[in-house]
Amino acid sequence: MQLYKSAMGKKFASVLLFSLVTVIFCTTDPGDLYVLMQFRDGLENPDLLEWPENGGDPCGPPSWSHVFCDEESRVTQNEAQGVGLKGTLPQNLNKLSMLKNIGLQRNQ
């Protein structure tokens, strides 16, 4: 039992450390990241986006699939045409103030 607790404690510490490093070194605008996560949460099948479930940085490196950013780490495009997504768009999508192109055709 003690060995199990020790292994679980180490795993938790590793996940916590990874999450903190991701937040500290994240280059994507925090507001843009929040909108992207709201977009993901509104989908019935978010796995089709192939975005990391444990966070990460949409503007990279490595960048998330279907997401394009400018040199200031602001999201400028979300291109996921024909991926088969199902769900609703977040009400705060307009908060992606640098978004120039959104390609969500052939999804539901």
Side-chain angles (χ1 to χ4, degrees):
M1 187 64 164
Q2 184 64 25
L3 181 60
Y4 175 76
K5 286 182 180 179
S6 176
M8 289 304 292
K10 287 180 182 178
K11 185 175 182 176
F12 176 75
S14 297
V15 169
L16 181 62
L17 179 63
F18 177 76
S19 297
L20 289 174
V21 168
T22 298
V23 170
I24 292 170
F25 292 106
C26 184
T27 61
T28 303
D29 179 83
D32 290 359
L33 177 60
Y34 180 75
V35 173
L36 290 176
M37 296 313 295
Q38 293 293 304
F39 172 68
R40 184 185 200 289
D41 290 346
L43 297 173
E44 295 175 24
N45 51 356
D47 53 305
L48 296 178
L49 288 172
E50 299 177 355
W51 292 353
E53 291 183 29
N54 60 349
D57 187 359
C59 293
S63 61
W64 292 2
S65 57
H66 313 290
V67 175
F68 299 88
C69 302
D70 63 14
E71 57 277 345
E72 296 171 2
S73 297
R74 298 296 308 271
V75 175
T76 58
Q77 297 183 63
N78 187 345
E79 297 291 332
Q81 301 98 329
V83 175
L85 301 173
K86 295 179 183 179
T88 58
L89 294 175
Q91 291 184 355
N92 62 350
L93 190 63
N94 64 332
K95 299 294 184 188
L96 292 174
S97 59
M98 300 305 288
L99 189 68
K100 296 176 183 167
N101 190 21
I102 186 164
L104 297 173
Q105 304 89 329
R106 298 182 309 280
N107 289 294
Q108 296 178 3

